[in-house]
């Protein structure tokens, strides 16, 4: 249907259903992406939260790593939450042995930035690009961005200055999980980029 972009959710591991439901509610035709041919059919890709090292391994097992890297390199809009942000980073500072990322964002990310004891927390987060009200942000064993390149737009920081939301060209990343709180504005921002690129 015209005006309904086909958007993929990488469905190897993680909170796939929450993203799929939110995107469908915003008017996207959602494709669960597990194979290269499914990736080729979408105009944007969400990489969900989960375990970044597991998603990395499964992407290689399923032959998805190189197609995703190529698609991102060619300008495919992508949005990563939590583990997805790690997978979009050019540099992972504390990955397990052999861990790789898809890359594309000129950032360095630390995976377990808040330590294993602090499994999760919630807070109100000011995101100037989104205006009011503040974002209710849920952090679950969340990463932080420790380095952002000169072309990376920092969208949100914690009170201590830690970077938790970034945008770099067609790529968007958050350390937190808007999809679990019914916060739609990041997904709307992502879909706007998808529509701009696909002409729909």
């Amino acid at each position: 249907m015209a005006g309904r972009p086909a958007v993929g959710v990488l469905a190897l591991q993680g909170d796939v259903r929450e993203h799929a439901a939110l995107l469908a509610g915003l008017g996207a035709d959602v494709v669960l992406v597990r194979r290269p041919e499914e990736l080729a059919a979408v105009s944007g890709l969400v990489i969900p939260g989960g375990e970044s090292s597991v998603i990395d391994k499964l992407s290689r097992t399923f032959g998805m790593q190189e197609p995703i890297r190529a698609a991102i390199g060619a300008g495919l809009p992508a949005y990563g939450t939590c583990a997805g942000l790690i997978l979009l980073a050019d540099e992972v500072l504390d990955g397990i042995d052999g861990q790789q990322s898809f890359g594309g964002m000129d950032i360095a990310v630390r995976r377990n930035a808040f330590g294993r004891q602090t499994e999760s927390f919630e807070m109100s987060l000011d995101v100037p690009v989104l205006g009011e009200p503040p974002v209710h942000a849920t952090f679950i064993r969340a990463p932080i961005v420790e380095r952002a390149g000169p072309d990376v737009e920092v969208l949100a920081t914690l009170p201590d200055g830690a970077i938790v939301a970034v945008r770099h060209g067609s790529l968007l990343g958050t350390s937190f999980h808007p999809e679990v709180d019914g916060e739609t504005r990041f997904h709307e921002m992502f879909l706007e980029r998808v529509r701009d690129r696909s002409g729909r």
Side-chain angles (χ1 to χ4, degrees):
M1 185 170 112
R4 290 180 64 92
V7 175
V9 179
L10 187 62
L12 300 178
Q13 190 260 349
D15 63 335
V16 174
R17 286 186 297 179
E18 292 85 347
H19 282 286
L22 194 156
L23 289 163
L26 292 174
D29 285 332
V30 179
V31 177
L32 300 184
V33 173
R34 298 184 183 91
R35 299 190 297 271
E37 56 267 31
E38 293 160 345
L39 178 66
V42 301
S43 300
L45 182 68
V46 170
I47 305 172
E51 175 49 59
S52 60
S53 60
V54 173
I55 297 173
D56 165 44
K57 287 178 183 176
L58 290 173
S59 76
R60 287 182 267 164
T61 299
F62 282 80
M64 289 297 295
Q65 183 191 68
E66 288 307 321
I68 291 173
R69 284 179 171 174
I72 288 172
L76 181 76
Y79 173 30
T81 60
C82 197
L85 170 64
I86 296 167
L87 286 158
L88 288 175
D90 282 346
E91 184 181 3
V92 181
L93 295 173
D94 57 347
I96 66 169
D97 285 348
Q99 181 168 350
Q100 300 175 29
S101 66
F102 303 133
M105 295 188 104
D106 183 14
I107 58 173
V109 168
R110 186 167 299 282
R111 289 165 67 236
N112 296 313
F114 299 97
R116 296 186 179 277
Q117 297 303 314
T118 308
E119 290 272 326
S120 63
F121 63 96
E122 301 176 26
M123 65 178 296
S124 290
L125 191 64
D126 287 322
V127 184
V129 72
L130 297 181
E132 294 292 336
V135 169
H136 182 81
T138 298
F139 295 82
I140 304 171
R141 289 188 62 197
I144 61 169
V145 176
E146 291 205 354
R147 178 191 62 78
D151 295 326
V152 175
E153 181 183 3
V154 174
L155 301 180
T157 60
L158 299 181
D160 65 1
I163 300 169
V164 293
V166 286
R167 180 165 55 182
H168 185 192
S170 295
L171 306 179
L172 177 66
T174 57
S175 298
F176 47 92
H177 291 268
E179 73 283 358
V180 304
D181 292 313
E183 167 60 65
T184 64
R185 288 173 288 173
F186 285 98
H187 290 75
E188 289 167 2
M189 185 190 307
F190 164 68
L191 286 174
E192 184 177 328
R193 187 70 186 89
V194 171
R195 290 189 175 99
D196 285 347
R197 186 169 183 268
S198 65
R200 286 190 284 179

